[in-house]
Amino acid sequence: MKKTAVVTGAAKPDSIGHEVAVRLQKEGMQVVVLDLFEEGFKTLPDCRCILTDVSDSRAVEKAFSTLERVDVLVNCVGGSWEISKDDLRAGPRLGFLGLTNCSLEEWHTIRGANLDSVFYCCRAAAPLLKKQGGAVVNVASVAARKGIPPGAEGSSGPYAVAKAGVMGLTRQLALELGSFGVRVNCVAPGVIASGRLKKVQAITPKGAGPEGPLKQIPMGRVGTVAETAALIVALCGDDTSYLTGVTIDVNGASYAA
């Protein structure tokens, strides 16, 4: 039977999620996309796209109730902006949003998109994954390792905290699902040249990125969407069948610097 992969946040063509969906299709999987960015669905004509707010537990349960099989789940939804129905096309906000100056609404929105969504999707997918085993890959961020320096644009303190939660969720879920043959891993990208980065760079001083100065990246460049997606897809396959409960950094050694 053809394997089914669910990818959240894959509708924007210049995103990591989109590239993951395309690559999983090339691996022979039926790909189901859960996203709010409906106009992007036409860029994935061979995927089954379901308009879903993954920060809403009921919407997630409804989407997964239509699936008979799940072999792979990739949670790519996230960010500090363009993450809710209200700001989906808003672009990055100006000014640093920290834990001490964010509103409670901003805290709940950012946490909802980045952490709650992963919990809801993993919980909904678990009964289907347990039937035959499979793989979950969650996307965190180098921000969870280092935090976000005040003054950085395009990211936020609540984002860093939520992504740290994703790492913890990954470890715990790997323990709970391991006996069912389900692997759960996490990828923590650094600054990646997606459409989001282009929007951030348009409002920030030259050489600045969402996690601080780009010159702090030892490799001397930002990463690519393709590099990040390749790692995620590898974690979904049989060649990594004994790897679970870990977070893999893909950030040009910026965390080590």
Side-chain angles (χ1 to χ4, degrees), residues 120-152:
Y120 296 148
C121 288
C122 287
R123 183 175 65 170
L128 295 169
L129 286 163
K130 287 178 179 180
K131 290 181 179 180
Q132 71 287 311
V136 177
V137 183
N138 302 319
V139 178
S141 169
V142 68
R145 303 283 201 190
K146 302 175 67 172
I148 302 294

Side-chain angles (χ1 to χ4, degrees), residues 183-249:
R183 297 175 292 110
V184 188
N185 292 297
C186 184
V187 170
V191 183
I192 304 299
S194 65
R196 281 177 171 271
L197 179 60
K198 295 175 183 177
K199 293 178 181 179
V200 170
Q201 290 182 315
I203 65 167
T204 57
K206 186 177 180 180
E211 275 83 37
L214 297 181
K215 65 181 180 182
Q216 293 182 354
I217 303 174
M219 287 193 73
R221 67 174 179 87
V222 300
T224 69
V225 167
E227 287 170 325
T228 311
L231 173 59
I232 292 171
V233 171
L235 291 173
C236 297
D238 294 337
D239 288 342
T240 55
S241 58
Y242 198 53
L243 185 65
T244 190
V246 302
T247 296
I248 300 177
D249 296 289

